[in-house]
Amino acid sequence: MLDFVELWVYLTTGPLFGLTSTVIVYVLAQAIYSQLNHAPWANPVLWSVLFIASILLLTGIQYPVYFAGAQFIHVLLGPAVVALAWPLWQRRAALKNAWRELLFAALAGGAAAIASAFILGKLLGLPMTVLLSMVPKSVTAPVAMGVAQQIGGIPALAAVFAVLTGLIGAISAKYIFDFFGIKTDPLGWSQRGFALGTAAHGIGAARALQVNADAGAYAALALAVQVLLASILIPIGVQILR
Amino acid sequence: MKADERHTQQVSSTSTTAPSNAGSMLALRGFAWLLALQTIGELLVRQFELTVPGPVLGMLFLLVALRWRAVQTAVSSCAEFLLTHLSLLFVPVGVGVMTHLGIFDTYGWRIALVLVLSTWAGLSVTALVLRWLQKTK
């Protein structure tokens, strides 16, 4: 019995627990997601997060202890953002052809997400710091944190909103697209993927990648474009509006 | 017959370990490129107080560097691995949501409503605008 307690203490105080649980839970969630034919509600990020958070709550392990191990996964977000140049480079021919349409759609979609969040949030009486933390929610979490910091939001809150936005997008996008009659031919997949990457960043792009290769490539492209637009235009926009 | 073929294939693939070794070496070299470009980006952002995040600058640098074949071959396998498992990378931040549940005590349903509706607005506007532009082209 004492041995078990000792082992438990060893596991839950070192960084190994956070790293191992993150990878194992995700691999299992991913396997179940594949088994269920990538049903939107079975999203592996959603269930991994819920499962790990439940473990932490049940065992009383503090988040910083978990993160001490999970940070080794987390730091890879930086190189992953850099790696987005690769799908862009691969599609450079198609991009040169369609960059006006794509850029315009990215601007329109990004602006629609920001404006609707800001106006609706203001109508519902949310405080300014919460509103400002919501502005960059359509970009991938590490970038959203940086942008939020610059415009006077709370970085940690921005990361929370970005992750939730990604999950909402990944889970509900199929029904939105079906509602508006977006097709499932190559052109339709490019629209679906590009919209997912624009409104739901990496989590949306990951979803698109799992459903269709074309959709995935356009989602990665949209994610990269949105990161660029958001990190350049949002701080300028906020400065002008002030 | 088929089993034999598979066997010979296996033998030939194990006897030529050099290419696969070179492949994993390339992936590591690609990882070095990604990290180096991100670091350069971060340093420039810090030095010149830029509004663009470091990794985004790194991405732009990589876009330029991909002109060289050596960079292409090194970065391709590493980038594909990272991007295929992109959603895993969001799990640690996602679990971090639990430390900010306090904000949902006060503004819970309002924040949820804003997040859901604005995400739907972003999704539908992007898809519809793109479809409309592609049709008129």
Side-chain angles (χ1 to χ4, degrees):
Chain A
M1 199 57 206
L2 196 94
D3 276 351
F4 174 76
V5 172
E6 246 172 57
L7 280 175
W8 177 249
V9 167
Y10 165 73
L11 257 186
T12 54
T13 47
L16 192 59
F17 164 76
L19 183 59
T20 312
S21 60
T22 305
V23 174
I24 290 182
V25 169
Y26 178 79
V27 166
L28 290 176
Q30 180 70 49
I32 294 169
Y33 183 53
S34 295
Q35 274 298 309
L36 294 168
N37 279 323
H38 299 149
W41 58 268
N43 189 284
V45 184
L46 173 70
W47 290 103
S48 300
V49 166
L50 287 179
F51 193 82
I52 295 171
S54 313
I55 295 177
L56 297 190
L57 287 175
L58 287 176
T59 56
I61 298 172
Q62 296 293 306
Y63 180 71
V65 174
Y66 162 77
F67 194 75
Q71 63 176 325
F72 298 111
I73 304 274
H74 177 75
V75 289
L76 293 177
L77 275 170
V81 170
V82 179
L84 286 172
W86 176 243
L88 282 183
W89 170 261
Q90 279 179 306
R91 305 245 146 192
R92 63 196 181 285
L95 281 183
K96 259 178 201 149
N97 225 350
W99 68 271
R100 283 184 200 85
E101 291 98 284
L102 294 172
L103 189 64
F104 193 78
L107 274 171
I114 292 172
S116 59
F118 201 86
I119 293 167
L120 192 63
K122 197 147 198 176
L123 287 177
L124 291 173
L126 294 179
M128 195 42 114
T129 46
V130 174
L131 286 176
L132 286 175
S133 309
M134 271 185 178
V135 166
K137 76 190 181 61
S138 300
V139 284
T140 189
V143 179
M145 293 171 83
V147 172
Q149 178 131 47
Q150 277 158 18
I151 63 174
I154 305 163
L157 212 51
V160 170
F161 293 153
V163 169
L164 290 177
T165 296
L167 286 173
I168 293 165
I171 292 164
S172 62
K174 181 188 184 305
Y175 309 108
I176 301 286
F177 297 147
D178 287 347
F179 176 80
F180 284 109
I182 307 290
K183 294 197 181 110
T184 49
D185 55 8
L187 213 54
W189 280 121
S190 75
Q191 293 153 6
R192 284 170 181 247
F194 198 77
L196 260 171
T198 298
H201 59 88
I203 302 178
R207 160 78 192 162
L209 214 66
Q210 283 151 349
V211 177
N212 179 280
D214 272 331
Y218 276 90
L221 167 63
L223 166 57
V225 171
Q226 203 56 223
V227 160
L228 265 180
L229 288 179
S231 56
I232 297 170
L233 293 183
I234 289 176
I236 296 174
V238 168
Q239 218 150 44
I240 290 171
L241 289 175
R242 256 188 196 156
Chain B
M1 196 51 192
K2 264 191 179 162
D4 260 322
E5 271 172 27
R6 220 174 279 157
H7 181 70
T8 48
Q9 261 180 1
Q10 263 180 6
V11 167
S12 64
S13 72
T14 44
S15 61
T16 53
T17 44
S20 79
N21 253 348
S24 52
M25 191 57 225
L26 271 177
L28 188 60
R29 213 173 285 173
F31 192 49
W33 270 107
L34 296 179
L35 286 172
L37 292 173
Q38 184 193 351
T39 306
I40 295 172
E42 304 276 13
L43 289 175
L44 287 174
V45 166
R46 210 126 301 199
Q47 185 64 37
F48 299 104
E49 292 172 9
L50 304 175
T51 58
V52 188
V56 179
L57 272 193
M59 180 185 82
L60 288 180
F61 295 150
L62 181 56
L63 214 45
V64 176
L66 279 171
R67 276 157 207 281
W68 290 286
R69 186 156 289 273
V71 181
Q72 283 172 31
T73 48
V75 163
S76 67
S77 55
C78 185
E80 259 154 40
F81 179 79
L82 269 181
L83 294 179
T84 318
H85 303 293
L86 189 60
S87 50
L88 163 67
L89 311 187
F90 291 100
V91 172
V93 195
V95 178
V97 171
M98 65 183 280
T99 59
H100 292 279
L101 291 179
I103 190 95
F104 289 91
D105 286 345
T106 0
Y107 305 106
W109 68 270
R110 283 179 274 188
I111 288 179
L113 190 68
V114 172
L115 289 180
V116 169
L117 291 181
S118 62
T119 307
W120 287 352
L123 282 171
S124 42
V125 167
T126 315
L128 292 174
V129 165
L130 189 58
R131 183 172 70 178
W132 172 63
L133 289 172
Q134 283 172 338
K135 262 186 195 160
T136 54
K137 200 184 183 186

